[in-house]
Amino acid sequence: MIITIDGPAGSGKSTAARKLAARLGIPYLDTGAMYRVVTLAALEAGADLHDEEALTRIARTADYDLDCGPTHARVTLDGHDVTEEIRSMRVNEHTRYVARSPGVRRVLVEKQRDLGRRLGSMVTEGRDQGSVAFPDAEFKFFMDADLHKRAERRLVELLADGEDVTFEQVLENLQKRDRTDSEREVGPLTVPDGAIVIETSNLSIPQVLDRLLEELRKGGVEIPPTGTASSELATP
Ligand code: C5P
């Protein structure tokens, strides 16, 4: 069973995806982390971010790995843990060049489908998971929230990571990313056909999780009772 969750930055999809996956006892995939680590690899290599061929080669050959656990996604590049570094403003500012590259998207979507085939079941989140990577997914969700709310959420995360950043900078970065994510020609941010839209501005994390579980139940999925090992991991 493939469950896709798409939406803009700060919509709450990453937290929801992790918690849903833990509750169901299946893996989750943070595809944003893939674009982020390729961005970091390109920056480290000093690549020209307008060089489509160079970016595609880096996406295909760079030595990066994702370990998406129930409470985190550990990411390594050349054997080093870059989990925090890929969330920095430096990477935030440059992901859009990598995300608009058709070659990079082809490579990453291929990797995502390959993982889906190997794992059989997973919750995968991003911008194009229900529209491009897994159009036939059993369940597709799209999460959205008010821009200011999303900027507040991102600011809290960045400050917690020790970034020296203001609300205005985060807001501007989100607006820029929303625009380039929605306007790019390949894999744009869009509500996938048949997706269930959840507006999260005024919902808490447990409420979002409840909404997701409710839809799965309606779709005939048996949800493991809480208290099982996997669902305990989902408890904040
Ligand atoms: O979800 P997150 O904010 O970590 O994603 C980082 C960036 O990666 C996004 O701004 C977007 O440009 C890109 N992305 C994408 N397609 C995905 C996931 C992320 O283009 N499936």
Side-chain angles (χ1 to χ4, degrees):
M1 172 176 65
I2 302 287
I3 301 171
T4 65
I5 305 184
D6 291 299
S11 58
K13 64 188 187 320
S14 300
T15 311
R18 272 202 301 273
K19 290 197 177 288
L20 180 64
R23 185 74 166 74
L24 298 173
I26 62 177
Y28 100 98
L29 178 63
D30 173 359
T31 62
M34 299 173 90
Y35 288 89
R36 288 171 178 276
V37 73
V38 172
T39 303
L40 182 62
L43 290 171
E44 303 279 282
D48 173 359
L49 297 184
H50 295 93
D51 184 341
E52 165 71 11
E53 226 171 87
L55 292 180
T56 306
R57 191 171 52 247
I58 289 169
R60 184 170 295 121
T61 60
D63 178 19
Y64 55 90
D65 202 24
L66 264 80
D67 169 19
C68 293
T71 55
H72 64 267
R74 288 265 142 234
V75 183
T76 57
L77 176 61
D78 294 327
H80 300 291
D81 190 323
V82 293
T83 308
E84 255 113 71
E85 211 176 336
I86 60 162
R87 310 262 155 221
S88 65
M89 281 306 270
R90 174 178 171 238
V91 171
N92 280 351
E93 292 290 349
H94 293 97
T95 47
R96 63 179 176 281
Y97 299 103
V98 169
R100 74 178 179 200
S101 152
V104 171
R105 301 203 73 86
R106 217 170 24 247
V107 171
L108 295 189
V109 167
E110 231 169 72
K111 285 181 190 278
Q112 292 152 12
R113 287 184 180 151
D114 189 46
L115 262 175
R117 263 191 302 271
R118 277 197 286 131
L119 295 171
S121 282
M122 70 177 180
V123 179
T124 178
E125 55 111 340
R127 304 292 188 286
D128 60 346
Q129 294 304 283
S131 55
V132 176
F134 300 100
D136 299 327
E138 283 84 345
F139 292 91
K140 300 195 231 178
F141 294 98
F142 187 87
M143 288 192 185
D144 207 351
D146 171 74
L147 175 68
H148 278 72
K149 198 84 187 189
R150 294 193 282 121
E152 274 168 24
R153 289 173 181 165
R154 266 290 144 107
L155 180 68
V156 170
E157 283 169 13
L158 287 164
L159 292 178
D161 288 345
E163 288 271 333
D164 182 15
V165 68
T166 64
F167 177 77
E168 285 68 31
Q169 287 169 322
V170 176
L171 189 72
E172 197 193 318
N173 174 261
L174 278 191
Q175 277 172 316
K176 226 188 282 174
R177 284 210 280 151
D178 280 358
R179 202 172 42 245
T180 50
D181 278 347
S182 307
E183 288 174 357
R184 70 170 164 252
E185 280 174 21
V186 277
L189 173 65
T190 178
V191 180
D193 276 350
I196 297 161
V197 179
I198 303 181
E199 223 289 332
T200 69
S201 302
N202 298 310
L203 295 182
S204 66
I205 293 165
Q207 285 173 326
V208 173
L209 183 61
D210 281 349
R211 278 279 287 122
L212 294 170
L213 291 172
E214 186 190 315
E215 293 296 340
L216 297 191
R217 275 195 201 97
K218 269 199 255 168
V221 177
E222 263 195 50
I223 312 293
T226 44
T228 58
S230 57
S231 63
E232 267 161 18
L233 291 169
T235 311

